[in-house]
Amino acid sequence: MSRKLYIKTFGCQMNERDSEVIAQLLAQEGFATTSVQEEADLILVNTCSIREKAEQKAFSLIGSLREEKKKNPSLVVGVIGCVAQQEGEHLRSRMPHVDLIVGTQQIYRLPAMLDRLLSGMTQKEIATNMESSFSIPPFQKLLVNNEKTAITPGFKQFVTIMQGCDNFCSYCVVPTTRGREISRSVRDILEEVELLVEQGVREITLLGQNVNSYGATNTVDPRPVSFPQLLRKVSAVQGLQRLRFTTSHPKDLSEELMQCFAELENLCPHFHLPVQSGSDKILQRMNRKYTVESYLQKVARLRQYRPDIALATDVIVGFPGETDVDFAATMRLLQEVRFHGSFSFKYSDRPHTRSTSFTDKIPEEIKSKRLATFQKEQNKISLQRNREYLEKTVEIMIESILDGEIKGRTATNHMVHAAGNVDSLLPGDLALVIIEHAGNHSLKGRLSE
Ligand code: SAH
Ligand code: SF4
Ligand code: F3S
């Protein structure tokens, strides 16, 4: 009987992709992934440290596993991801029931660490070192479905093109938890995409903390290319139906990249461009290196190249020193751009970040009030935006079919629920839907005949 692995993943797509990689690595060691925590022999908690709340969620799950270990002493508990990277040794003393602590750059060592633990050679394993030249190994071989790895890719997959971040926004832990920015080689990326498409993958999302600076910083490639050049190469892979990327930093968004939206047919008209604040003073204190005006100019250019492009953003409210006037500027920006959607957060102090030492912190009640104001307006705008799709026919890529109802996403990344004749359809297929209802967060319609 094979051993069972349960992974709980918090945080961003980087962590999601790492969890996939770990499942692949451990499948080769005879671990089958389970979605039932109680039946696991190995529990891994893949943690996020971006805000205090995210970290608390991870700690509360890890804490609760102390009881599980008492009931089942052979259970192995591991902590991986950004909290593991940041807390390392401290985590070992705070949570003595944890057997395995693995930082963000050491996940490839997991099989060997686990071997030592399971054979009784060691009582605890911890690896959190950061290597300045670390680069992602090519995974294509792991993805091939063979007897040992019962894992086949779905119809959509992430492909990591770079790791780490060099931007040091004053509020952000990522440069510490993920290390320096390093771009993967073009050859590795293309090989991975080609192999995935051969195996039936139809949609690829290129992944990095700031994909716009791909190839511009540290790269392992002897002949580096820019991000728009990489995008063109990936877009040309035969059989790839949809191409996306995330995330972009506005300061590195070039004209050449915007042009791609006009020229590459399979590049989806959806762009996540985090703005963070609508006040130049706050942007400067955040170390974002762009102004509101330059952001708005880029939005206007993007819309010239691709009028149907759906824009999404991230916003932090209550950054230290944010006055009512600064917050009003963020609201104005929201009303001017009218984002299709956004993720908004209350500012949170993080370890080893510059803004933690800023003295003009904003009280919690004001942060909450501003967040509610922002989200209420965003919901209103999202609903208005979604209503623009009423009675239009959109193409969706089907994600699931349940009880005669289809769920899928448009190229603009809108979630659509549709009813109709689903008989010949499968997940991953494209289908045309006529939109009949629009809500804040999704659209509903019927399959076009
Ligand atoms: N690399 C991406 C995303 C990083 S994290 C980028 O640069 O856009 C995702 C989002 O979390 C950020 O865009 C920011 O809005 C938010 N965030 C990061 N640190 C935060 C903090 N200390 N407090 C509140 N929100 C934060
Ligand atoms: Fe964090 Fe800024 Fe890097 Fe994004 S660009 S990961 S917000 S430091
Ligand atoms: Fe969280 Fe680490 Fe991603 S801190 S947002 S999981 S890079």
Side-chain angles (χ1 to χ4, degrees), residues 50-51 171-174 209-210 247-249 274 276 288 314-316 345-350:
I50 201 80
R51 284 167 293 276
Y171 51 81
C172 184
V173 288
V174 173
Q209 290 295 352
N210 175 15
T247 312
S248 295
H249 196 304
Q276 313 298 0
R288 291 290 286 180
D314 291 353
V315 162
I316 297 176
F345 313 99
K346 285 191 268 185
Y347 168 78
S348 164
D349 268 345
R350 305 308 296 132

Side-chain angles (χ1 to χ4, degrees), residues 10-15 47-50 82 173-174 177-178 209:
F10 295 97
C12 66
Q13 291 103 330
M14 306 284 154
N15 268 12
T47 55
C48 172
S49 169
I50 201 80
C82 292
V173 288
V174 173
T177 61
R178 296 271 163 178
Q209 290 295 352

Side-chain angles (χ1 to χ4, degrees), residues 181-236:
E181 196 171 296
I182 302 173
S183 300
R184 255 179 119 187
S185 82
V186 180
R187 215 192 61 205
D188 279 2
I189 295 168
L190 281 177
E191 263 181 37
E192 195 165 308
V193 172
E194 278 162 8
L195 199 100
L196 287 168
V197 172
E198 246 169 58
Q199 290 180 43
V201 172
R202 294 166 191 191
E203 176 177 312
I204 295 279
T205 303
L206 303 179
L207 214 53
Q209 290 295 352
N210 175 15
V211 291
N212 297 5
S213 68
Y214 173 84
T217 42
N218 199 354
T219 171
V220 291
D221 213 314
R223 276 182 296 159
V225 304
S226 69
F227 182 58
Q229 286 165 332
L230 176 75
L231 210 52
R232 285 175 194 276
K233 286 178 194 284
V234 174
S235 165

Side-chain angles (χ1 to χ4, degrees), residues 53 269 321 399 426 441:
K53 238 192 195 160
E399 296 195 352
L426 290 170
H441 298 294

Side-chain angles (χ1 to χ4, degrees), residues 77-96:
V77 172
V79 180
I80 58 179
C82 292
V83 177
Q85 183 62 51
Q86 196 153 45
E87 295 298 312
E89 288 292 335
H90 181 221
L91 194 71
R92 192 211 299 251
S93 46
R94 185 169 161 193
M95 300 271 173

Side-chain angles (χ1 to χ4, degrees), residues 164-176:
C165 183
D166 283 352
N167 287 310
F168 291 94
C169 300
S170 60
Y171 51 81
C172 184
V173 288
V174 173
T176 353

